[in-house]
Amino acid sequence: MEEHKKILKLLDIWENDISIKSIDGGMTNNNYFVSDGNKKYIARFAPHNTKILGLNRQKEIQNTKIASENNIGPDVKKYYKNYDLLILEFIEGNILSVGVAQQIDTIKKIAELFLKLHSLAGFSGNRLPLQRAESYFNEVKSRNGWIPDNLEESFIKTKEIISQLKPCVSCSCHLDVMLENVIVCSDGNLKLIDWEYSENADPRYDLAMYIIKAKLNREQEEHLFLCYGINKEEDKQDIRKMKTLVALAEATYGVLQNVISDRISVGYREYAESELKELESLLTDV
């Protein structure tokens, strides 16, 4: 942390002396809030294990710029390659809470945001969430890392369920719709931050992840489908099945980070266990 602060103070982007505050909660990057008295920024230092996680900073920058141009993401201010440091606009607003995420008006707004996101052109990346989960799982096995007893069996079941989905055309997706990554702006609109996992992928993944993280009940889920334009029961069921892949991907992420990350303050093992518990519950409902 202190090394990061030293680097930030040396940068040429600031107009005045800066104040720096570490941002808690991020599970991948090391994030800081920076103010130079006139403007506010977010500084994101990439982890040392980006290649193992399958992350690509240039892809993240390109996709974030496209999101910003379409008013659904932060503006990219500058990238310092030597430090793998990305400086972004700070978006004024509040992180989306579960209670607000479940409100009818918010569900309508997130559906509209997804419709805009999923229609964008020019996104970089084509790595599907299932490929990412398989890569993470295989990496942990190659390192003889901790793997929960029931993860492999749940992995097999999830792959079988996902294989049953109706084919879907890939499009621009965020793929990390944690509520912490949804900002309620001062004007009431929603924006997404943290685009490092964004790819051209199955749009049903974004919808499924929001349903899980917002803890939507069936009525709220139906409202999301309505606002997004999903009417056929088979299409709704495919999104419910997609929730298993979301939980699997998050569980394998936690398992991998538990092995490779040096951020010991982040409870990756506990996160993996929580997501696996979610997955097992979803598998019984599908």
Side-chain angles (χ1 to χ4, degrees), residues 103-127:
Q103 294 175 5
I104 296 301
D105 183 56
T106 305
I107 292 172
K108 181 175 183 291
K109 287 180 179 179
I110 199 72
E112 291 170 348
L113 186 153
F114 284 153
L115 285 167
K116 179 181 282 190
L117 165 61
H118 296 156
S119 67
L120 299 180
F123 252 45
S124 178
N126 295 283
R127 193 185 194 201

Side-chain angles (χ1 to χ4, degrees), residues 8 38 42 74 78 89 94 131 143 147 152 181 193 224 228 231 239 260 270:
L8 288 170
N38 294 326
I42 296 296
K78 195 163 184 177
E89 165 199 17
N94 298 305
Q131 294 172 330
R143 293 168 178 258
I147 296 176
E152 190 152 15
N181 290 338
I193 60 173
L224 177 63
Y228 191 83
N231 301 307
I239 294 174
I260 66 174
E270 292 78 8

Side-chain angles (χ1 to χ4, degrees), residues 164-169 202 204 238:
Q164 300 168 9
L165 299 185
K166 186 169 67 176
C168 182
V169 176
D202 190 328
R204 295 173 294 193
D238 276 352

